[in-house]
Amino acid sequence: MVKQLDSLTERLDATGYLVNAYPVTPANITIELPEFDPATYTDAVRGHHLTAMKALRQKHGYAEEQTIVEQGLPEDIIPDVARQLDAGMVILGTTGRTGLSAVFIGNTAEHVIDKINCDVMALKPDGYISLLTQASPNRKNAPHRGALF
C-alpha cells in the first residue's frame, strides 16, 4: 500500500502521509475489572501504534511530520485528517469483508467513503481472490475492459 502511495505522490508531485488510528479503551473493562488502569492501557496501546508507525515510516523514508497516529475509530480519524490536510486522495487498505463478517464487524472502507470528501483508492491485500472470480473461473482469464463501478 505504501508503494502505491509513493508511486502516486511521485507522479502527482504531492506529499504522502501515513495515518493510523488506534482504539479507545473500552469503558466496560473498568467496570468489570476495578483494578484495571485505563490510562496505563491507553499509553501501552498508543506506544505500540507509535512504535509500529515509526518502523513503517523509517522503512519507507517518511519524515515524522508525515505520520499521524490518533486515538479513535478509523472511520472517524481518516476523514478528519483528510479534511485537515485538504487531501485530494485517500488510499485505504481493505480486507474485503463480505457476508456475515461484513454485517457484524463492519466494513471500514465503506464507512470512510461515506464520510470523506475526496477521491478514495481502496486496495485489497495481496492474494485476495474476488468473489466474482471464484464464481466464474473463466473470468480470471478474460481481458479487462477498463470498466469501473
Side-chain angles (χ1 to χ4, degrees):
M1 193 163 70
V2 178
K3 288 179 184 177
Q4 289 288 342
L5 173 63
D6 291 342
S7 175
L8 284 170
T9 55
E10 184 179 324
R11 282 188 258 160
L12 299 173
D13 193 29
T15 302
Y17 291 84
L18 305 174
V19 180
N20 179 259
Y22 63 94
V24 175
T25 304
N28 63 328
I29 288 180
T30 58
I31 295 167
E32 295 173 16
L33 303 170
E35 68 279 359
F36 179 80
D37 180 11
T40 301
Y41 174 82
T42 299
D43 289 346
V45 171
R46 178 169 174 75
H48 169 77
H49 283 264
L50 287 170
T51 301
M53 179 62 85
K54 181 178 181 180
L56 183 66
R57 77 172 168 82
Q58 288 177 338
K59 177 181 177 181
H60 294 281
Y62 279 75
E64 186 173 358
E65 298 78 33
Q66 291 174 268
T67 60
I68 298 167
V69 177
E70 296 287 336
Q71 183 180 38
L73 296 172
E75 54 264 32
D76 296 329
I77 298 299
I78 294 169
D80 287 347
V81 171
R83 271 189 292 283
Q84 291 169 15
L85 296 172
D86 195 25
M89 176 183 278
V90 170
I91 300 173
L92 294 170
T94 177
T95 58
R97 283 193 186 101
T98 59
L100 288 178
S101 67
V103 171
F104 291 114
I105 298 171
N107 186 320
T108 301
E110 284 184 19
H111 294 295
V112 170
I113 289 167
D114 287 344
K115 294 182 177 183
I116 211 155
N117 228 3
C118 66
D119 292 333
V120 177
M121 177 186 287
L123 301 174
K124 303 281 188 203
D126 288 339
Y128 176 82
I129 299 172
S130 167
L131 293 175
L132 294 175
T133 302
Q134 290 174 340
S136 177
N138 296 330
R139 184 175 166 82
K140 66 183 172 186
N141 296 324
H144 296 281
R145 305 234 188 268
L148 297 176
F149 297 78

